[in-house]
Amino acid sequence: MEDVIKSVHGGGGEAMEKLLSRVLSAVELRKVKDGVGLDEFEDSAVIPLEGKNLVFTTDSYTVKPLFFPGGDIGKLSIAGTINDLAVMGAKPVAISTAFIIGEGFEIEKIERIVKSINRISKENSLPVVTGDTKVIDSDIDMLINTTGIGIADRVIRNSGLREGDRIIVSGTVGDHGMAIMSKRKGIEFDTPLESDCAALWKLVEEILDLDVHAMKDPTRGGIANSLNEMADKSGKRIILHEDRIPIREEVKSASEMLGIDPFTVANEGKVLIGVAKEDAEKALQILRKNPLGKQAEIIGSVEKGKGVIMETVIGGKRHLEKPSGDPVPRVC
Ligand code: MG
């Protein structure tokens, strides 16, 4: 077989991990002294600077369609980067936007996308301080790259789970991936399926005084991917209770119709939190007071061992595996 890139390599799962460890082995300088760098595969890097933690992240957005129920590529590109900072415990300070636009793309659409960027930038008091625009002769429509910086008093890692911790999800799972997929397939429901695309710093900020040990935004590969990553990196096992995982009825129906596991598709406005058992109820109450966390639930706990075990609705147990690639490509 030809040794070329396939869409599975962009899925955020195992195929991508293998590709990155192969090609990135050529990079020799991988972190700033005492910081968090390439090897940690975190949501952001950390650069210690004069007693503060500068948190730094970059991400490219390729969602198709560009305008989807609940958002568009502009909103997604700002919210996604805010969230990668937020899960490290960092307050977003500034962001850049770089556009790569295909020849023939309508300028009116760019105006709509930039208005949307402005809206979410203002809502989060996050200035867009620099950017770049390139036009290429290609059948792509528009891609956006954003880079964000933030400041963290205490850096939170996705590898920090401890035995006894509780796992909280801030709301319903699978909304973004299933909304994109249903839109592409032209499937409609009585209650329209909407992306959960949202910026989470204001939600996360409220629980940072509690004993939070680990956080992750379950984007590509869904909660299946992110929980496995948290378990693996922490060297712990996560036990999940399927009946406690919040999921919209319409997301359930769409995933059955399309044969896609909703636990493996992207969320763009949710956070997974590992918090000390003693603080779990308090965290839940605080999250639920915020509209973005209204449907938060404690979905599992952490123990000695490996992997993610799901206690199913019918009383069985199964391993919740990391998907190999994303079942829904070009979702974020
Ligand atoms: Mg992330």
Side-chain angles (χ1 to χ4, degrees):
M1 203 188 287
E2 246 189 307
D3 203 13
V4 295
I5 288 291
K6 300 187 180 67
S7 85
V8 67
H9 288 122
E14 265 175 57
M16 179 180 238
E17 258 171 52
K18 278 193 188 137
L19 171 75
L20 292 183
S21 66
R22 174 177 159 185
V23 299
L24 289 182
S25 61
V27 177
E28 293 178 59
L29 304 180
R30 303 170 74 91
K31 69 160 75 177
V32 170
K33 189 171 176 285
D34 301 324
V36 173
L38 265 190
D39 289 319
E40 284 86 351
F41 273 92
E42 268 285 1
D43 291 288
S44 300
V46 179
I47 302 166
L49 199 70
E50 293 170 4
K52 288 208 176 351
N53 298 297
L54 187 67
V55 180
F56 179 40
T57 190
T58 190
D59 210 331
S60 302
Y61 298 83
T62 68
V63 66
K64 187 173 141 186
L66 294 175
F67 300 89
F68 50 83
D72 57 52
I73 191 170
K75 180 181 180 188
L76 182 69
S77 67
I78 305 295
T81 292
I82 289 176
N83 296 349
D84 278 337
L85 296 172
V87 294
M88 302 290 290
K91 177 186 170 64
V93 173
I95 194 164
S96 73
T97 57
F99 301 147
I100 298 169
I101 309 166
E103 250 184 320
F105 190 67
E106 299 94 321
I107 293 170
E108 176 271 331
K109 284 188 183 160
I110 304 177
E111 287 172 333
R112 275 162 65 196
I113 289 165
V114 174
K115 273 187 189 151
S116 171
I117 287 175
N118 178 56
R119 200 174 310 124
I120 188 154
S121 141
K122 281 179 75 181
E123 281 166 10
N124 289 278
S125 312
L126 178 65
V128 180
V129 289
T130 185
D132 180 51
T133 306
K134 295 283 188 302
V135 175
I136 58 171
D137 168 16
S138 153
D139 58 5
I140 66 143
D141 36 28
M142 183 193 214
L143 314 179
I144 299 181
N145 172 274
T146 52
T147 296
I149 58 169
I151 300 281
D153 292 334
R154 173 169 76 96
V155 171
I156 295 178
R157 306 284 305 273
N158 56 30
S159 55
L161 293 178
R162 300 181 203 168
E163 270 167 57
D165 281 356
R166 296 297 183 256
I167 301 289
I168 294 178
V169 65
S170 64
T172 54
V173 304
D175 299 11
H176 179 73
M178 295 318 298
I180 296 284
M181 208 54 198
S182 305
K183 174 88 183 172
R184 282 190 207 155
K185 300 273 180 190
I187 301 173
E188 280 180 30
F189 296 90
D190 297 340
T191 327
L193 234 146
E194 275 204 3
S195 165
D196 56 339
C197 178
L200 296 172
W201 167 248
K202 287 181 182 165
L203 178 70
V204 164
E205 186 184 17
E206 294 173 11
I207 57 160
L208 289 183
D209 288 338
L210 301 179
D211 201 4
V212 172
H213 296 156
M215 285 198 286
K216 183 141 189 73
D217 55 334
T219 55
R220 274 177 307 180
I223 63 164
N225 200 36
S226 293
L227 289 170
N228 271 289
E229 227 172 284
M230 292 169 88
D232 289 352
K233 285 186 176 174
S234 308
K236 299 281 181 288
R237 162 173 289 175
I238 295 175
I239 305 290
L240 282 184
H241 305 283
E242 189 173 19
D243 57 351
R244 295 192 205 156
I245 302 175
I247 179 162
R248 287 183 205 285
E249 273 313 312
E250 53 273 27
V251 166
K252 231 188 242 177
S253 318
S255 54
E256 277 161 21
M257 228 182 261
L258 296 164
I260 295 174
D261 180 349
F263 300 151
T264 67
V265 304
N267 307 273
E268 289 294 340
K270 299 291 151 52
V271 56
L272 291 164
I273 302 155
V275 58
K277 183 183 167 192
E278 299 72 34
D279 275 352
E281 272 304 323
K282 198 168 177 195
L284 196 65
Q285 297 320 318
I286 294 172
L287 292 169
R288 283 180 176 171
K289 277 188 200 144
N290 187 311
L292 290 171
K294 226 168 45 194
Q295 286 168 292
E297 292 287 350
I298 298 172
I299 59 170
S301 54
V302 179
E303 58 180 49
K304 207 189 275 179
K306 275 169 67 170
V308 181
I309 308 288
M310 173 95 84
E311 292 185 349
T312 64
V313 178
I314 50 167
K317 278 187 188 174
R318 68 175 173 99
H319 276 275
L320 183 68
E321 305 284 356
K322 222 175 189 180
S324 160
D326 198 311
V328 188
R330 285 200 64 183
V331 72
C332 58

